[in-house]
Amino acid sequence: MVQQYQSPVRVYKHPFALVMMAYERRFPTCPQIPVFVGCEIMLDEESENGAIRTTERRCKLNVEAPYILKKIIGVDFVYFIQRNVLDRRNNVLEIEAYNESFATRVTVIEKCRYFIHPENAEWTCFEQTASLDIKNFFGFENSMEKLAMKQYAQNIAKGKEIIEFFINELKEEGITYVSPWKDQQEGSSEEEKKNVVENNELYSDKELCNADSKLPSNREMQLSSDYIERYLGKLDMMQESKLVQLRHSIEELRGSSVPGYATLLRFLRATEFSVEKAREMLTQSLHWRKKHQIDKLLDEYEMPQVIKEYFPGGWHHFDKDGRPLYILRLGQMDVKGLLKSIGEDELLLLSLHICEEGLHLMEDATTVWGHPVSQWTLLIDLEGLNMRHLWRPGIKALLRIIEIVEANYPETMGRVLIIRAPRCFPILWTLISTFINENTRKKFIFYCGTDYQEQGSGGLSEYINQEFIPEFLGGSSETYIMEGGVVPKNLYKVDLEGTSGEHEHSLYHSISLSRGQTHHVSIESNDPGAVLTWDFDVMRHNVVFTVLHKSQNSENGAISEIPELAIGGDHEVVAAKELKDNYVKVEPSIVCHDGESIQGTHIMQDTGTYILQWQNQEDQTEFLPSISSHKAQLMYFYETLPSAHYRGSMMSLQSAISGRSEASSSLSR
């Protein structure tokens, strides 16, 4: 198995030239890295004008391994080749290292890069990637893999400290500034020299500068170690690497529409830092958010009057860790009355609205407290809970809410405080606990009777500051949470037995395609120049997407322009023969892969019938039948925009196809 590592960007708040001088002091030996015994220079050459310096070193490393293992492999040292290319003109140092020892059994490749910070010319960035592949190592493959990654992690942790150590050493010697490299062979006019001086003064006076106009590269800044510490919390080396890998993986599928790092980290933690599992879970969640327009929930949600008057829950200050605190007086809630007056879907919407509020409050708390806040605390007061709360439709609604929240808001719950639990609570807990993620279950803290009133360790005051404990729990803090109570029957509107339980407040249509099946949507257009737009997510398997148009003069000739189509199943809107005989492609077919989000447009220059077609990629030809029976699943939305609204801007619309769509198109040609 190949072990991969990819670092976040580490920032040295020192100019590039000074960092390079400090870097050179790591050779030929470096006491701060004991395993680095020494090195010999095999190549050291510069270009004619000195802009490029290439250095190759043969590095000697001590093998940190148990004595018996050293005896078995027969060596105390291993050798690596390191090749450095310093581009002084563009202020970039590229480093590549690979193992010379045991090269047929083990492959180790490390690549590093120093470069100027894209937003601050006085700072230097560093990033690295590495891969370890142990193919055959005397039967000690697993042991060597663990040993190598442990040693590598220790060296990476020391890396930044070492550069800072040598920079401080230079300062003690009186070296605080190193002049940037200049090409001595190129003459400069007085005006050019004046511009250089002015630019250098600008970099010195301003901490931040515009990368596009003043730096050799407009490289977008990636995740930095400083950002991790400030906004995400302490992560070890491999956790940082997994976070970077997940970000890149989601970017490949969704282009620029990628969630923030805090969200990515939550899904990684929920899957024990498995990039593949986190990617799958997050992709499904993003599909769900898009289908149900969750991003608009905070702005567009209108709370029903029944909720305002009878729902006993709300946000209330913070806990001692700075987490937003939500209080739910479940024992005072008329579950049956709420469900019969607003229905299960509306109760779910309320729960999702609370979760979305929690995400925003956590972001605000991170800013206010100056340390990462990635979870919120839930306090559930069960006083008044009785057997009426165990009403079957109410339990069903609760389980559905738990299932959806667990899948789409993982690792947002930091602590759940259950207080004043009555005798019937164990029955309720038995019913719902199996549906709660194990990691979340561990965060539940239970209080029976008046245990929560104990001062210090063991009571609520251990987790919530005394001044924030609500009045109804014996504290002094006023709350603005409704007391609940019985919902009047004259407000009942919903026949629970007749509800489907499906939450379908969505503009998107969902379809499933078996092998060989296609799905067609027919659009009639009598408006030359109108714009047809589409937006769809592939949630499972691969599909081929095509846009067709009915030719006005295609009685017999158009079929020669249409490639053979694998049309089958019962999903098509138009007959297969008519589609072949009378329709031509107006957009090239693209293969859309599992997880991709595709957006595109087509200018309907001609009137007539247009067809959007999705086809299960399997069984594309009768000569190569597929042995798989996987169904393809997708959700889609389409819209026709009148030509009057877009005259003069057709080209910009036509080019608005996503990058992933274009990439898929190129693969399918």
Side-chain angles (χ1 to χ4, degrees):
M1 178 179 177
V2 179
Q3 285 277 7
Q4 300 281 354
Y5 170 75
Q6 184 162 5
S7 76
V9 175
R10 306 188 187 279
V11 179
Y12 301 101
K13 297 181 180 180
H14 308 287
F16 181 81
L18 185 63
V19 172
M20 289 299 97
M21 181 175 285
Y23 173 78
E24 288 295 328
R25 293 205 168 193
R26 295 177 56 173
F27 305 100
T29 60
C30 184
Q32 289 77 15
I33 306 181
V35 298
F36 188 73
V37 180
C39 65
E40 60 176 310
I41 296 178
M42 303 170 62
L43 173 69
D44 192 7
E45 61 183 21
E46 293 188 352
S47 60
E48 186 175 345
N49 63 354
I52 305 295
R53 180 187 178 188
T54 304
T55 307
E56 282 192 9
R57 297 181 177 91
R58 187 170 185 259
C59 303
K60 183 179 181 181
L61 277 70
N62 181 31
V63 177
E64 283 194 347
Y67 175 78
I68 185 65
L69 185 57
K70 283 188 177 183
K71 286 296 182 182
I72 291 174
I73 64 179
V75 298
D76 289 324
F77 304 100
V78 295
Y79 293 89
F80 276 75
I81 304 300
Q82 184 196 68
R83 179 181 175 86
N84 293 4
V85 178
L86 174 61
D87 183 345
R88 295 188 175 107
R89 174 180 286 112
N90 295 312
N91 296 307
V92 176
L93 172 63
E94 302 275 0
I95 304 169
E96 182 171 351
Y98 58 91
N99 60 305
E100 182 183 73
S101 303
F102 305 110
T104 59
R105 298 177 179 271
V106 180
T107 302
V108 180
I109 300 175
E110 180 186 54
K111 295 183 179 181
C112 306
R113 186 173 184 263
Y114 289 87
F115 56 97
I116 288 183
H117 194 291
E119 296 176 355
N120 190 330
E122 295 300 307
W123 292 355
T124 304
C125 297
F126 171 77
E127 62 183 359
Q128 66 192 130
T129 62
S131 65
L132 168 68
D133 185 9
I134 300 180
K135 303 166 187 173
N136 183 350
F137 207 82
F138 310 104
F140 289 88
E141 290 80 13
N142 290 337
S143 299
M144 285 301 298
E145 182 177 286
K146 293 178 182 178
L147 205 64
M149 293 308 295
K150 179 181 178 182
Q151 187 169 311
Y152 188 67
Q154 292 172 346
N155 293 340
I156 284 177
K158 294 177 182 177
K160 186 173 181 180
E161 298 174 8
I162 292 170
I163 292 293
E164 296 288 355
F165 171 83
F166 286 123
I167 285 177
N168 289 331
E169 188 176 81
L170 288 169
K171 289 180 179 179
E172 291 174 1
E173 297 172 8
I175 302 174
T176 59
Y177 176 78
V178 178
S179 299
W181 178 86
K182 294 181 181 179
D183 191 344
Q184 301 299 324
Q185 296 182 7
E186 294 180 3
S188 298
S189 66
E190 290 301 318
E191 185 65 27
E192 289 173 334
K193 292 178 181 178
K194 180 181 178 182
N195 289 338
V196 170
V197 172
E198 288 176 349
N199 283 338
N200 286 338
E201 289 175 350
L202 180 61
Y203 285 148
S204 300
D205 294 340
K206 284 190 175 182
E207 183 179 63
L208 295 177
C209 60
N210 188 310
D212 291 340
S213 60
K214 300 180 180 66
L215 297 178
S217 170
N218 60 357
R219 172 190 175 88
E220 180 184 353
M221 188 61 184
Q222 300 296 320
L223 176 66
S224 73
S225 55
D226 291 343
Y227 180 93
I228 291 175
E229 183 177 351
R230 171 64 179 82
Y231 293 100
L232 302 180
K234 187 173 179 58
L235 302 177
D236 63 32
M237 179 197 80
M238 291 309 296
Q239 289 172 341
E240 291 178 345
S241 175
K242 301 289 187 184
L243 183 58
V244 175
Q245 291 176 39
L246 179 60
R247 167 79 183 197
H248 290 171
S249 178
I250 297 297
E251 277 181 339
E252 289 177 358
L253 286 178
R254 307 191 67 84
S256 60
S257 58
V258 179
Y261 285 109
T263 299
L264 298 176
L265 183 57
R266 287 194 291 104
F267 279 84
L268 277 172
R269 283 178 169 149
T271 56
E272 298 181 340
F273 282 86
S274 166
V275 174
E276 288 301 315
K277 291 180 180 178
R279 173 182 173 274
E280 181 180 355
M281 184 180 182
L282 178 55
T283 300
Q284 292 297 323
S285 179
L286 293 174
H287 292 324
W288 170 82
R289 292 185 68 87
K290 187 173 184 178
K291 179 177 181 178
H292 299 293
Q293 305 288 288
I294 302 299
D295 290 337
K296 298 180 180 179
L297 194 57
L298 283 179
D299 296 328
E300 298 182 356
Y301 176 68
E302 295 184 8
M303 186 176 292
Q305 191 62 33
V306 174
I307 294 293
K308 294 178 182 179
E309 296 180 7
Y310 295 98
F311 184 77
W315 294 101
H316 179 75
H317 297 289
F318 302 88
D319 69 6
K320 283 189 172 181
D321 295 318
R323 297 165 172 158
L325 173 64
Y326 192 89
I327 296 178
L328 177 63
R329 304 185 68 178
L330 184 60
Q332 305 300 315
M333 186 165 75
D334 180 4
V335 179
K336 183 176 182 179
L338 288 173
L339 282 173
K340 281 189 170 289
S341 59
I342 62 172
E344 184 180 321
D345 284 348
E346 196 64 48
L347 198 60
L348 172 60
L349 271 180
L350 171 65
S351 303
L352 299 180
H353 185 261
I354 293 170
C355 290
E356 289 296 305
E357 286 182 321
L359 295 179
H360 282 264
L361 288 171
M362 290 187 296
E363 290 180 8
D364 293 342
T366 297
T367 302
V368 170
W369 303 122
H371 65 78
V373 177
S374 59
Q375 297 175 320
W376 51 282
T377 293
L378 175 62
L379 187 154
I380 302 179
D381 179 16
L382 295 180
E383 185 184 47
L385 188 79
N386 53 46
M387 295 305 291
R388 66 184 171 86
H389 289 89
L390 303 181
W391 182 53
R392 183 175 174 274
I395 296 295
K396 173 177 170 287
L398 177 60
L399 294 180
R400 181 179 172 221
I401 290 170
I402 290 173
E403 180 183 13
I404 291 175
V405 170
E406 286 277 308
N408 298 287
Y409 300 91
E411 292 298 313
T412 54
M413 192 65 68
R415 186 179 293 125
V416 182
L417 303 171
I418 306 288
I419 62 172
R420 302 200 280 195
R423 286 187 177 183
C424 66
F425 175 70
I427 302 174
L428 176 63
W429 180 245
T430 301
L431 291 171
I432 68 173
S433 60
T434 55
F435 293 87
I436 300 174
N437 180 276
E438 182 180 355
N439 290 335
T440 305
R441 285 204 304 271
K442 294 176 182 177
K443 300 171 184 177
F444 278 69
I445 299 171
F446 299 90
Y447 294 94
C448 295
T450 59
D451 292 351
Y452 69 92
Q453 294 179 342
E454 294 181 10
Q455 297 298 315
S457 178
L460 272 185
S461 58
E462 181 178 353
Y463 305 105
I464 304 172
N465 288 324
Q466 190 66 38
E467 66 266 30
F468 294 149
I469 294 180
E471 290 176 332
F472 65 85
L473 294 179
S476 59
S477 181
E478 184 179 358
T479 62
Y480 299 94
I481 299 171
M482 300 305 298
E483 294 184 2
V486 177
V487 178
K489 290 187 177 181
N490 64 304
L491 297 179
Y492 287 8
K493 297 179 181 178
V494 177
D495 178 7
L496 281 174
E497 300 304 320
T499 58
S500 65
E502 291 297 321
H503 173 47
E504 289 297 340
H505 298 286
S506 174
L507 298 173
Y508 291 80
H509 303 274
S510 297
I511 57 172
S512 178
L513 300 174
S514 298
R515 182 173 60 189
Q517 286 185 324
T518 60
H519 180 77
H520 304 105
V521 174
S522 175
I523 301 105
E524 295 292 333
S525 176
N526 297 313
D527 180 12
V531 178
L532 174 61
T533 70
W534 56 85
D535 180 359
F536 63 93
D537 283 6
V538 182
M539 295 182 288
R540 183 172 296 174
H541 205 48
N542 300 336
V543 297
V544 178
F545 174 69
T546 309
V547 182
L548 305 165
H549 176 241
K550 186 172 183 179
S551 172
Q552 300 299 321
N553 303 307
S554 58
E555 295 261 332
N556 298 310
I559 192 169
S560 62
E561 299 178 34
I562 308 176
E564 191 71 20
L565 300 174
I567 299 171
D570 57 358
H571 287 258
E572 55 267 38
V573 176
V574 289
K577 185 177 187 305
E578 181 188 355
L579 191 65
K580 284 187 177 182
D581 292 346
N582 297 308
Y583 287 79
V584 294
K585 284 186 182 181
V586 292
E587 292 284 345
S589 297
I590 60 171
V591 178
C592 308
H593 301 90
D594 187 348
E596 284 189 330
S597 179
I598 307 296
Q599 299 81 37
T601 60
H602 177 77
I603 302 172
M604 298 185 290
Q605 301 285 18
D606 302 316
T607 60
T609 304
Y610 289 80
I611 298 290
L612 299 181
Q613 173 184 281
W614 292 270
Q615 178 183 344
N616 189 317
Q617 191 186 11
E618 294 179 332
D619 206 15
Q620 293 294 295
T621 169
E622 60 182 324
F623 302 110
L624 294 172
S626 171
I627 61 173
S628 173
S629 60
H630 289 166
K631 286 188 175 182
Q633 292 183 352
L634 64 133
M635 63 179 190
Y636 68 89
F637 166 76
Y638 68 94
E639 187 177 14
T640 300
L641 307 174
S643 62
H645 294 174
Y646 295 97
R647 285 199 178 99
S649 60
M650 293 299 183
M651 290 307 295
S652 61
L653 278 172
Q654 189 68 11
S655 63
I657 302 174
S658 71
R660 288 300 297 171
S661 178
E662 291 172 353
S664 302
S665 178
S666 64
L667 288 173
S668 65
R669 290 183 186 129

